[in-house]
Amino acid sequence: MGRSSKDKRDIYYRLAKEEGWRARSAFKLLQINEEFNIFKDVSKVVDLCAAPGSWSQVLSRRLRGQDREADPKIVAVDLQAMAPLPGVIQIQGDITKVSTAMEIIGHFEGEQADLVVCDGAPDVTGLHDLDEYIQAQLLLAALNITTHVLKPGGTFVAKIFRGKDVTLLYSQLKIFFPKVTIAKPRSSRNSSIEAFVVCENYSPPVGYKPNMSNPLLDHHYDVDFNSLEGPNRIIVPFLACGDLSAFDSDKTYPLKLDSDKDYEYHPPTQPPIKPPYETACYLKKNDMLAKLKKTQQTNEGDKGAHYA
Ligand code: SAM
């Protein structure tokens, strides 16, 4: 009863069934397109995190058979297997893995995509910070792949969780796209933290060379960071402060630094209020610390010792 009554009340769920979409998310992409016209002149597109496939369906229905010279190329990727769709090339893989990215790039055979979309969402844990972090990593993995396949001027659309640290993601996206807009389609529930970034006019920094070097995403990368140049490598100035007359912090100095003066002990200016070693000090002071007791001597020294 609970489930069917919810189904009846969710208009997009109902409409999706009526119109034959695999998921209600189809309406999110359709509504984004109504607002931003992202399908205009698109013939090559990547759908990241595509299962069960309603976005790929939208792409397939909207881009195919429109008196085009050639069929569009639609490459869909997801961790999950997906039932086939007309005109959609499917890859089952993890978008945070270099191997998946290389497979996607391979399908373009040197050509470039006009549009990359990503509706990626992790299995939510309910721990908001963790969910937001993982979602952000998915988005960055999608952006990384996008830098390899998207043509200059192309569009990138991705799901984003508008959590408290989302401005960092906006700045990262702005490095590659002069126009970044947050879209909240009507079919996306108001109660949900999700929204979509619509990033237009792909313009990587001059000299930028895409690479798969995000160590957060994949530990098997083969980029020599020291060989990166120009905008691919940010060098932060290193400045040594203090001249040679200053003490060397790695050296040990005698207590009596000045031959005229004896060493004078100074207590800490502010001792710790509740040091973690307080109990140990108390036990030691009162001779209550556990002592090493040798119960068994072996040829290997005190291997058989234990604390009493
Ligand atoms: N756009 C899809 C549609 O319209 O049918 C719905 C996508 S669903 C909200 C999110 C998808 O992200 C899931 O199918 C999940 O398997 C996929 N996903 C999550 N992490 C992924 C990853 N690391 N690599 C590939 N797909 C991933």
Side-chain angles (χ1 to χ4, degrees):
M1 172 64 195
R3 191 180 161 158
S4 61
S5 64
K6 185 181 166 217
D7 293 352
K8 276 186 220 141
R9 274 181 282 128
D10 183 340
I11 186 68
Y12 287 107
Y13 182 92
R14 243 160 60 193
L15 282 175
K17 280 182 165 178
E18 276 170 29
E19 295 178 19
W21 301 114
R22 291 182 179 182
R24 66 191 291 294
S25 345
F27 294 104
K28 299 175 190 170
L29 190 60
L30 287 166
Q31 288 168 352
I32 291 170
N33 182 52
E34 271 165 32
E35 196 64 43
F36 294 88
N37 203 13
I38 55 172
F39 297 158
K40 187 168 183 277
D41 299 329
V42 166
S43 62
K44 294 186 186 65
V45 45
V46 181
D47 181 7
L48 298 169
C49 303
S54 77
W55 280 26
S56 290
Q57 271 185 299
V58 170
L59 295 166
S60 171
R61 286 193 199 175
R62 285 297 169 97
L63 304 180
R64 292 173 77 240
Q66 296 185 354
D67 294 334
R68 292 170 190 271
E69 281 173 20
D71 266 350
K73 178 166 271 179
I74 304 167
V75 179
V77 189
D78 202 285
L79 282 173
Q80 318 279 342
M82 225 168 84
L85 278 168
V88 178
I89 301 167
Q90 290 187 26
I91 298 173
Q92 191 174 352
D94 182 342
I95 65 158
T96 67
K97 293 272 175 285
V98 171
S99 53
T100 313
M102 296 325 268
E103 211 179 324
I104 300 168
I105 296 161
H107 277 290
F108 280 88
E109 296 157 342
E111 293 184 302
Q112 287 177 308
D114 309 295
L115 172 67
V116 178
V117 294
C118 175
D119 191 21
D123 288 337
V124 284
T125 62
L127 300 169
H128 298 313
D129 286 349
L130 186 62
D131 292 337
E132 279 162 39
Y133 174 78
I134 299 173
Q135 213 285 327
Q137 292 309 309
L138 266 186
L139 190 147
L140 290 176
L143 176 66
N144 224 13
I145 291 172
T146 300
T147 61
H148 283 81
V149 292
L150 191 62
K151 70 170 192 197
T155 309
F156 173 56
V157 174
K159 193 203 290 285
I160 192 165
F161 283 180
R162 279 181 309 150
K164 61 179 176 357
D165 296 324
V166 73
T167 45
L168 173 62
L169 278 177
Y170 297 157
S171 337
Q172 285 164 313
L173 291 165
K174 283 288 277 184
I175 294 173
F176 296 95
F177 297 89
K179 190 163 178 214
V180 176
T181 313
I182 299 294
K184 178 81 175 170
R186 291 207 68 169
S187 48
S188 170
R189 295 190 177 94
N190 282 331
S191 55
S192 165
I193 192 176
E194 91 169 1
F196 295 85
V197 271
V198 181
C199 307
E200 295 171 85
N201 191 12
Y202 178 54
S203 319
V206 177
Y208 177 77
K209 284 199 200 103
N211 66 75
M212 285 289 169
S213 63
N214 187 343
L216 282 173
L217 303 178
D218 195 327
H219 293 273
H220 306 287
Y221 50 90
D222 57 1
V223 172
D224 171 10
F225 292 101
N226 289 327
S227 69
L228 298 176
E229 288 174 350
N232 306 292
R233 184 177 185 196
I234 292 169
I235 299 177
V236 176
F238 176 90
L239 189 64
C241 310
D243 61 19
L244 292 177
S245 65
F247 288 120
D248 179 346
S249 55
D250 289 315
K251 204 173 145 183
T252 313
Y253 291 91
L255 285 180
K256 217 172 149 180
L257 282 174
D258 191 338
S259 53
D260 302 340
K261 276 202 229 152
D262 279 338
Y263 169 74
E264 193 191 336
Y265 170 76
H266 296 282
T269 311
Q270 171 60 64
I273 298 166
K274 185 146 185 57
Y277 48 81
E278 199 175 45
T279 312
C281 291
Y282 172 81
L283 293 173
K284 184 160 189 230
K285 205 166 163 187
N286 294 285
D287 199 21
M288 289 162 72
L289 272 184
K291 292 201 177 80
L292 192 64
K293 189 173 154 193
K294 288 191 181 152
T295 54
Q296 195 186 358
Q297 282 293 343
T298 67
N299 287 343
E300 293 163 312
D302 48 30
K303 206 177 173 186
H306 71 260
Y307 289 91

